[in-house]
């Protein structure tokens, strides 16, 4: 089966690239290389600016939808308003993800860490993903033992990591599939695993799935390839790491987040 790897960013009409005076005096190959780098940077900058500009109209639309909903519409209008609400939430999440990716990649995010039992964050993420899994007839099973697993972490950011991984597992697994969400720990590290019985990832594509805008076989599944890059940035900020494994296409995937354990002693 062939893998279409889409790494080229969006095909909008990119602004023209002007080589600087210094670049104009460089040998041609070097100048072209520079142009390519700045092309990519310009495209990313364009996407970040666009995302920023989209926030305000999206929030105005959300307010308008809330106002119409308060009027308890019926029939076709109620259905239309429900569709608008769902699609707006979807768009807002994509725009927020883009802005988050921009802030994270430019080092503008600082963590608000506290000593916490990672199992609580896992429970919240699993509870919030349960409906989506059930809608696809999937079994979402969480196992994290009876002992607290302490880490120094930003609860909201960790929630974002686990939710993203669970959302992917649900999205890339067929109806009736199985997703397991587990954690175990030692004195030095805590490992959290999201494993699915879904479509799996080709070994050639595996090393690149954490890159921004990278998608394997872009499909009707939706998304634009931001989630895993955000996940990796957050895990790295926690001085942890994330690894992906798969037995290959059709054999499911496993994502492992490893974080330093908080020193034992206090409870
Ligand atoms: N659980 C998974 N099973 C199979 N493929 C996955 C899984 N998680 C991620 N991927 C692959 O990695 C790509 C990047 O994921 P992500 O950054 O979350 O982007 P998106 O979900 O928007 O496509 C996905 O498009 C998909 O090809
Ligand atoms: Mg995703």
């Amino acid at each position: 089966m062939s893998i279409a790897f889409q790494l080229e960013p969006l095909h909008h009409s990119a602004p023209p690239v002007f080589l600087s005076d210094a670049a104009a005096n460089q040998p041609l190959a070097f100048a072209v290389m520079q142009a390519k780098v700045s092309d990519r940077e310009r495209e990313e900058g364009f996407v970040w600016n666009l995302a920023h500009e989209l926030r305000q109209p999206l929030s105005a639309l959300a307010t308008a939808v809330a106002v119409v909903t308060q009027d308890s519409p019926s029939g076709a209008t109620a259905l239309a308003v429900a569709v608008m609400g769902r699609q707006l939430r979807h768009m807002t999440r994509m725009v927020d993800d883009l802005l988050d990716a921009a802030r994270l990649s430019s080092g503008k995010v600082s963590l608000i860490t506290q000593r916490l039992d990672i199992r609580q964050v896992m429970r919240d993420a699993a509870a919030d993903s349960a409906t989506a899994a059930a809608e696809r007839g999937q079994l979402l099973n969480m196992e994290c033992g009876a002992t607290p697993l302490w880490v120094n972490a930003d609860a909201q950011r960790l929630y974002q990591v686990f939710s993203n991984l669970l959302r992917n597992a649900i999205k890339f697994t067929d109806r009736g599939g199985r997703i397991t969400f587990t954690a175990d720990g030692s004195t030095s590290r805590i490992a959290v695993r999201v494993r699915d019985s879904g479509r799996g990832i080709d070994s050639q594509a595996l090393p690149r799935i954490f890159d921004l805008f990278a998608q394997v076989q872009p499909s009707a599944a939706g998304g634009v390839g931001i989630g895993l890059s955000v996940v990796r940035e957050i895990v790295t900020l926690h001085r942890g790491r994330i690894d992906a494994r798969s037995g290959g296409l059709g054999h499911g995937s496993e994502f492992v987040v490893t974080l330093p354990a908080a020193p034992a002693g206090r409870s």
Side-chain angles (χ1 to χ4, degrees):
M1 191 177 292
S2 72
I3 307 294
F5 212 86
Q6 177 192 295
L7 268 181
E8 288 310 314
L10 317 175
H11 297 291
H12 56 78
S13 48
V17 177
F18 299 107
L19 294 179
S20 66
D21 288 345
N25 295 328
Q26 304 288 341
L28 186 62
F30 182 69
V32 169
M33 206 171 77
Q34 270 207 333
K36 282 209 156 127
V37 169
S38 84
D39 229 2
R40 170 100 196 188
E41 280 167 3
R42 273 167 191 269
E43 286 200 323
E44 284 187 8
F46 171 84
V47 174
W48 307 147
N49 286 338
L50 184 64
H52 189 73
E53 292 301 313
L54 281 171
R55 285 203 80 179
Q56 213 243 325
L58 279 176
S59 113
L61 281 170
T63 308
V65 167
V67 169
V68 180
T69 310
Q70 267 176 3
D71 273 353
S72 310
S74 58
T77 311
L79 285 177
V81 172
V83 169
M84 283 158 66
R86 267 199 307 278
Q87 297 301 325
L88 262 174
R89 278 193 294 279
H90 186 51
M91 273 172 73
T92 306
R93 192 164 67 210
M94 283 200 292
V95 165
D96 285 349
D97 278 355
L98 268 171
L99 287 170
D100 227 19
R103 279 197 295 262
L104 280 159
S105 69
S106 58
K108 286 191 186 137
V109 170
S110 42
L111 300 177
I112 305 168
T113 57
Q114 56 178 322
R115 190 169 194 266
L116 54 87
D117 180 359
I118 208 166
R119 299 177 312 156
Q120 190 51 50
V121 186
M122 289 174 67
R123 281 187 203 109
D124 291 344
D128 293 347
S129 293
T131 312
E135 275 170 7
R136 287 176 60 73
Q138 297 164 341
L139 191 66
L140 171 56
N141 191 21
M142 184 177 138
E143 293 262 338
C144 53
T147 322
L149 298 169
W150 297 109
V151 287
N152 287 317
D154 184 320
Q156 245 179 314
R157 290 290 178 183
L158 268 194
Y159 172 88
Q160 198 179 353
V161 166
F162 300 149
S163 300
N164 253 301
L165 295 177
L166 288 171
R167 213 178 304 137
N168 277 348
I170 293 166
K171 181 161 76 166
F172 296 112
T173 299
D174 285 341
R175 294 193 64 80
R178 194 186 172 87
I179 293 152
T180 55
F181 187 29
T182 59
D184 58 78
S186 68
T187 47
S188 61
R189 55 140 203 95
I190 307 286
V192 178
R193 294 181 166 79
V194 177
R195 185 182 302 177
D196 65 61
S197 62
R199 77 178 195 193
I201 304 166
D202 180 87
S203 59
Q204 276 180 299
L206 262 180
R208 310 180 75 176
I209 54 171
F210 293 99
D211 293 350
L212 192 57
F213 302 135
Q215 292 186 298
V216 191
Q217 290 180 319
S219 69
V224 287
I226 300 172
L228 285 183
S229 112
V230 165
V231 161
R232 184 174 58 182
E233 296 278 2
I234 296 174
V235 171
T236 307
L237 274 177
H238 281 88
R239 287 181 290 116
R241 56 177 291 161
I242 178 158
D243 298 287
R245 298 181 191 131
S246 172
L249 286 178
H251 295 282
S253 313
E254 182 182 55
F255 288 79
V256 187
V257 175
T258 312
L259 298 172
R266 286 183 294 137
S267 60

